[in-house]
Amino acid sequence: MLFLVIAVMATASCGSSSVRPGDKTALGDGWTLQCADGGQIYRATVPSTVAGVLYANGVITDSDFLDDNYRNIDRTQFDKPWTYTKQFSGKGMAGKHVFLQFDGIGYAADIYLNGTKLRAKDTTFGVFNRYTLDVTDCIRQSNKLEVTLERARKGDLNVGYVDWNPRPVDESMGLWRDVTLSVTGDVRMSDSFVRPQVREDLAAADMAVSTVLTNLTDRETEALFKGCFENGSFEVPVRLAPNESREIVVTSAEAPVLHVDNPRLWWCSGLGSPELYHMDLQVECRNSGISDADAITFGIRNIEAGLDEYGHRQFVLNGHKILIKGAGWTDDIFMRDTHESIERQVCLVKDMNLNTIRFENIWGKDRYVYDMCDKYGILALVGWSCQWEWEDYCGLPETDGFGCIATPETMDLAFSYFENQVKWLRNNVSVIGWMTGSDRLPHPDLEPRYLEAYARLDYRPYIGSAKSLVSELSGPSGTKMEGPYEYVGPDYWYLDTRCGGAFGFNTETGIGANLPQIESLRKMVSEDKIWPPDAAIGRHATASGSAMNNTRYLEATIAGLYGEAADLEDFVRKGHAVDYDGTRAMFEAFRANLPRTTGIVQWMLNSAWPSIYWQLYGHDLVPTAGYYGTKKACEPVQLIYNIKDACVYAVNETGNPVAVKASFTLLDAASKPVAAESRTVTVSDREPLKVFNLARYRNRDSFLALKLGDADGKPLTDNFYCLPARWNTYDWAKANWYLTPIVKYADMRFVTRLPAANVRFETVTDNDGYRVTVTNDSDVIAYQNILTLKDAAGNLIAPAYWSDNFFSLLPHETKEVLCRTEGGATGTVGLTHWNQ
């Protein structure tokens, strides 16, 4: 029987050994990699993939990503096994229990330690399985660890890049997640978990702390399970039978230190501070001291996700309804992401005013990306990829609308994956829910196992699919996945009522091509192939076999809206306008239509390789025009032009009412003022407020400038629109999974006819970046001013966090823009604009 003793935490004596029970060492550096048939030995780090190691050693180079060169990489070299080898010291480990932990193996492995075979590939396979190997009897003073890998084959449940980019040439073969060496005493601690529960009034919270204790001896053992949290501690005596493994759970009823009054709640970005807590755990054997230790960083918050009155999935954080505003993540094609690049990407998400990342694949070489979501207040929506739901991607036959996981063997593997990954991520407070299906539902023989395990292991919302599907077991998903994935105009999001438009929870959608900035594009395609667009650029679209795999639709869109592009610069300039307006409108429409909207996820956030499709920033971390359109659309308080009713709405998602001064200026196609008005209003949280009715100005080519200030008139943000006399005409009856055809484009040629504008700028160094003042000295609008920061070689510096970009200036208007860099990066500020 368990009982509680409140005590001061004991400290472990180091003794004479440098290795102490509870020590965990990531075996990251000092590996080698060699093809099993001999040949060159390469230096390697772990986590990595074989292709990633070859890139680091110069075998695969940046030129392999140029044009369509990627398809010429020799894939047959990965048909052979490859062996990772690591030498490490076992000094000080005698008399202790030693374990090797493999967090991710791609795809099957034979594992040897000092010549002893620990695991065979017929039982050691599957990318999302985690393996803990007791190597106590194999450890020596000097040790040699060898892992011989075979890649995933057709029909294996591998990590999935689907059609987002070409398949990795090595099928992600490698030790793609951490390998860790841990040392314990006679009792081992695993799967530690802190589960918070917040009182409805948010005034108090209670925690339950659990861990699995395993007696590694063949004798009965007495131990103390200890925890240290904030300024208090607890300890629980435990008696374990020989070789017994048991989950220990301590609640606030037993340990008052686990009750917190007025907790520091974790909030997502835009609503509050993402507060975090820390807890140290230990297990101490009665006669031998500290046996194992763990440290957990966690947050206290409540998360729910029921169905609203319209049947839409509604997430509620700490009692507050939130509109999910996010984008879909992918890892680098060779899993070369670093902690530095990951943190920068999460910072880019926050900079765009988004609050969510969708991880359709449980991405990440380790938990760092989720730790960064915890740190910066970014919600993480995780789940399985459609990689396993379509025969073309998985290689297994599809069955009965439930995808390719349909045999006892594949269901056992998927279930093992699920248990492993839920345990792996459940201490990350940013994780708000699990989607066990993407385009499909789990097989009805598999989902009961998912539900049973989830109820036992976690507490967050469970969602059966990212699509509008109904499970007999878990009920309706409350989500939708009806496209588009290809270009639709800004008006689409307001007009559509049956597909991707602004209602419900759209789990993945977007306008297709998001052209990178021209400096990035020139690094993807050779100069002699870059214009006119041909297969070289098209290879950097998606890898879909049916659509979105070339530039033809983007070319037609540009021609239909603005007129055919005259050259590369014109193509990129018009492509940026298409991207900015289209992506911005998607997010704006979902905000303007609250509360009928509950979530919008841009497809995608980033790119696995140099790409022209589905990205808010490029593979080089340089933002697209859509990045700045998103940032503008998602300002916490903003003015939005609703195309459907030609009215301007004030939106507010700060959690509190806000008093603002709103104004508009309407100009004709010649940049002459037509109308202007200002008024002070109070905007309630999540209640869009109609501020101006501009319906009488419809059916004319116009420019609309919106400005928003606080109650004292201090500027908060602005917005700018090009409004055509007529919008697009859609063939609604022919809408399909990836687009709604446009039969007649809006005529935006009045924008291309803007006379040249004279724009100047001044730059002042300011703390960790630059302060740039941009002035339009002309009598005409200066459209889409693009600021850049380049190094001495002319490369765009990334990341460079611009407070605004791709912005327009009214005649004789001045705007101050801030640019923040990292690590003291300096460069030369440049400016281009549409009508220069």
Side-chain angles (χ1 to χ4, degrees):
M1 180 177 179
L2 298 181
F3 61 95
L4 177 70
V5 179
I6 301 297
V8 177
M9 292 290 291
T11 58
S13 173
C14 294
S16 59
S17 172
S18 61
V19 179
R20 296 172 296 180
D23 283 355
K24 296 176 176 61
T25 303
L27 301 181
D29 297 325
W31 292 80
T32 62
L33 178 67
Q34 184 179 32
C35 186
D37 64 0
Q40 185 169 345
I41 298 174
Y42 302 100
R43 289 183 296 178
T45 58
V46 168
S48 64
T49 65
V50 173
V53 172
L54 294 183
Y55 178 88
N57 283 271
V59 179
I60 298 174
T61 67
D62 288 337
S63 66
D64 289 302
F65 298 101
L66 187 70
D67 302 333
D68 56 353
N69 294 344
Y70 183 82
R71 63 178 178 172
N72 297 322
I73 296 176
D74 178 18
R75 286 168 167 76
T76 63
Q77 62 187 311
F78 306 110
D79 293 335
K80 307 164 188 175
W82 286 72
T83 298
Y84 282 83
T85 303
K86 166 74 176 176
Q87 307 276 353
F88 65 92
S89 172
K91 184 178 180 180
M93 297 181 187
K96 302 178 180 68
H97 297 271
V98 185
F99 296 85
L100 279 171
Q101 172 78 44
F102 292 83
D103 279 343
I105 292 173
Y107 181 79
D110 291 319
I111 304 174
Y112 296 84
L113 181 61
N114 300 323
T116 298
K117 192 172 190 176
L118 303 178
R119 299 277 304 206
K121 63 186 178 183
D122 58 345
T123 60
T124 312
F125 60 88
V127 286
F128 290 114
N129 278 332
R130 302 171 71 217
Y131 299 97
T132 302
L133 311 182
D134 189 337
V135 297
T136 304
D137 295 337
C138 302
I139 286 291
R140 303 172 184 169
Q141 288 288 301
S142 179
N143 299 277
K144 183 180 182 181
L145 175 62
E146 298 171 284
V147 184
T148 298
L149 295 163
E150 293 188 4
R151 70 168 177 84
R153 308 286 174 170
K154 182 178 180 180
D156 289 333
L157 303 185
N158 196 19
V159 292
Y161 292 86
V162 200
D163 58 3
W164 312 339
N165 50 265
R167 294 177 79 112
V169 289
D170 62 347
E171 296 294 335
S172 303
M173 174 167 54
L175 295 175
W176 76 289
R177 281 186 175 162
D178 285 333
V179 177
T180 306
L181 183 72
S182 61
V183 177
T184 77
D186 288 343
V187 177
R188 180 173 180 266
M189 186 164 56
S190 60
D191 296 329
S192 300
F193 177 38
V194 177
R195 175 174 178 164
Q197 184 172 1
V198 181
R199 207 166 72 186
E200 188 174 349
D201 63 3
L202 308 182
D206 294 278
M207 289 164 290
V209 181
S210 63
T211 195
V212 175
L213 297 182
T214 301
N215 182 0
L216 302 172
T217 73
D218 56 5
R219 63 183 182 277
E220 185 176 81
T221 299
E222 294 182 6
L224 288 175
F225 174 47
K226 297 183 173 184
C228 183
F229 170 66
E230 295 284 282
N231 297 318
S233 60
F234 66 85
E235 63 179 39
V236 177
V238 182
R239 188 184 298 272
L240 296 170
N243 302 306
E244 180 186 6
S245 184
R246 189 197 320 162
E247 183 180 48
I248 307 299
V249 181
V250 182
T251 69
S252 59
E254 300 163 301
V257 70
L258 299 179
H259 174 86
V260 181
D261 288 320
N262 302 311
R264 305 189 308 272
L265 295 176
W266 187 93
W267 288 97
C268 68
S269 180
L271 284 179
S273 177
E275 296 290 337
L276 296 173
Y277 287 85
H278 186 82
M279 186 177 293
D280 291 310
L281 300 176
Q282 291 180 340
V283 59
E284 179 181 317
C285 292
R286 182 171 186 178
N287 298 319
S288 56
I290 300 301
S291 183
D292 204 356
D294 205 351
I296 299 175
T297 298
F298 65 99
I300 295 177
R301 58 96 179 91
N302 185 53
I303 189 70
E304 301 171 281
L307 301 180
D308 67 10
E309 60 183 300
Y310 309 108
H312 303 147
R313 182 70 59 177
Q314 174 68 70
F315 278 89
V316 182
L317 176 65
N318 298 327
H320 185 86
K321 292 180 180 180
I322 51 176
L323 173 65
I324 295 293
K325 301 185 293 291
W329 177 280
T330 180
D331 280 0
D332 172 80
I333 195 169
F334 295 157
M335 298 186 178
R336 295 168 294 175
D337 297 303
T338 64
H339 284 184
E340 291 77 16
S341 71
I342 286 171
E343 183 167 12
R344 286 168 179 165
Q345 291 187 71
V346 175
C347 287
L348 289 172
V349 172
K350 184 179 175 69
D351 183 61
M352 277 186 282
N353 299 306
L354 296 178
N355 60 20
T356 305
I357 298 174
R358 183 182 169 203
F359 294 92
E360 186 198 336
N361 199 70
I362 322 296
W363 288 110
K365 294 192 299 184
D366 55 23
R367 284 176 41 203
Y368 195 75
V369 65
Y370 306 98
D371 293 343
M372 291 300 97
C373 288
D374 291 351
K375 176 181 177 179
Y376 290 103
I378 303 299
L379 305 168
L381 190 57
V382 301
W384 296 138
S385 169
C386 66
Q387 169 83 4
W388 306 334
E389 297 173 338
W390 299 99
E391 185 171 353
D392 288 350
Y393 305 137
C394 184
L396 295 174
E398 301 170 37
T399 55
D400 303 323
F402 295 105
C404 304
I405 300 175
T407 65
E409 294 78 15
T410 55
M411 284 191 276
D412 285 348
L413 182 57
F415 178 70
S416 176
Y417 282 0
F418 185 68
E419 281 199 310
N420 273 281
Q421 297 309 298
V422 170
K423 291 178 183 178
W424 189 63
L425 283 181
R426 62 184 177 172
N427 281 309
N428 284 96
V429 64
S430 56
V431 175
I432 59 167
W434 288 74
M435 288 179 166
T436 52
S438 179
D439 303 14
R440 306 290 184 89
L441 288 166
H443 194 282
D445 291 340
L446 175 59
E447 191 171 29
R449 300 172 67 184
Y450 281 164
L451 290 169
E452 181 278 327
Y454 201 61
R456 172 168 42 88
L457 297 173
D458 210 336
Y459 62 95
R460 278 159 270 230
Y462 170 100
I463 304 167
S465 177
K467 198 169 184 177
S468 181
L469 298 172
V470 179
S471 165
E472 293 183 2
L473 295 169
S474 58
S477 68
T479 61
K480 67 176 182 177
M481 189 195 297
E482 306 298 334
Y485 297 89
E486 187 60 281
Y487 180 76
V488 291
D491 50 343
Y492 168 89
W493 304 102
Y494 293 93
L495 302 177
D496 174 71
T497 58
R498 68 182 182 92
C499 293
F503 60 94
F505 190 159
N506 195 335
T507 58
E508 54 180 73
T509 192
I511 64 163
N514 307 105
L515 277 183
Q517 297 197 40
I518 195 167
E519 293 86 352
S520 300
L521 188 61
R522 289 188 186 279
K523 293 183 177 181
M524 296 161 48
V525 186
S526 299
E527 195 65 29
D528 61 338
K529 298 179 181 178
I530 203 168
W531 187 258
D534 64 1
I537 292 184
R539 288 288 179 180
H540 292 270
T542 81
S544 171
S546 56
M548 301 164 289
N549 50 22
N550 54 64
T551 62
R552 287 193 293 272
Y553 201 84
L554 176 60
E555 292 175 64
T557 298
I558 288 172
L561 292 172
Y562 297 102
E564 289 189 9
D567 51 29
L568 177 66
E569 288 73 16
D570 195 35
F571 177 70
V572 172
R573 177 169 57 246
K574 291 173 179 176
H576 284 164
V578 168
D579 185 12
Y580 186 100
D581 288 349
T583 304
R584 176 184 60 172
M586 178 179 69
F587 284 101
E588 286 186 337
F590 272 75
R591 299 189 72 195
N593 280 282
L594 283 166
R596 291 295 299 267
T597 55
T598 60
I600 174 65
V601 178
Q602 149 78 16
W603 209 250
M604 297 177 68
L605 171 67
N606 55 354
S607 292
W609 81 316
S611 178
I612 64 169
Y613 252 80
W614 297 348
Q615 57 186 356
L616 292 176
Y617 53 86
H619 187 255
D620 56 3
L621 305 192
V622 175
T624 63
Y627 177 104
Y628 294 105
T630 299
K631 180 173 181 173
K632 185 68 68 176
C634 296
E635 290 279 2
V637 185
Q638 182 58 288
L639 292 176
I640 292 171
Y641 179 77
N642 185 322
I643 295 172
K644 185 174 183 177
D645 64 6
C647 292
V648 175
Y649 288 80
V651 294
N652 169 25
E653 291 180 85
T654 64
N656 297 292
V658 177
V660 294
K661 183 176 182 180
S663 65
F664 81 86
T665 301
L666 189 74
L667 302 92
D668 64 18
S671 302
K672 302 303 181 184
V674 173
E677 188 177 343
S678 297
R679 64 177 59 173
T680 300
V681 295
T682 297
V683 191
S684 299
D685 178 57
R686 290 177 48 85
E687 295 182 12
L689 177 67
K690 185 186 296 186
V691 182
F692 304 113
N693 188 335
L694 305 182
R696 63 188 178 279
Y697 302 113
R698 275 177 165 168
N699 304 320
R700 64 180 75 181
D701 295 331
S702 305
F703 297 103
L704 176 64
L706 304 177
K707 296 188 183 300
L708 196 63
D710 63 18
D712 297 324
K714 181 181 178 181
L716 293 175
T717 187
D718 53 33
N719 218 340
F720 182 87
Y721 298 87
C722 303
L723 305 179
R726 58 168 179 80
W727 287 95
N728 301 288
T729 302
Y730 294 90
D731 190 343
W732 299 103
K734 292 184 179 179
N736 58 36
W737 67 273
Y738 70 96
L739 65 79
T740 297
I742 299 174
V743 295
K744 190 173 185 179
Y745 286 93
D747 187 355
M748 304 293 293
R749 286 170 175 80
F750 71 99
V751 183
T752 68
R753 290 192 291 268
L754 278 169
N758 180 25
V759 180
R760 57 184 170 85
F761 68 98
E762 297 177 353
T763 302
V764 177
T765 302
D766 181 61
N767 297 327
D768 54 354
Y770 299 91
R771 185 180 300 270
V772 184
T773 302
V774 186
T775 301
N776 179 9
D777 287 327
S778 311
D779 294 329
V780 297
I781 290 167
Y783 183 57
Q784 283 216 338
N785 294 269
I786 304 173
L787 288 164
T788 57
L789 183 66
K790 297 182 182 181
D791 62 20
N795 300 307
L796 292 171
I797 294 175
Y801 301 95
W802 294 96
S803 60
D804 199 1
N805 215 336
F806 288 78
F807 56 87
S808 298
L809 291 174
L810 299 185
H812 304 286
E813 183 179 19
T814 295
K815 185 182 185 71
E816 185 176 80
V817 181
L818 304 180
C819 177
R820 180 173 57 84
T821 61
E822 291 182 357
T826 60
T828 301
V829 174
L831 173 71
T832 60
H833 63 276
W834 178 287
N835 50 321
Q836 59 187 29

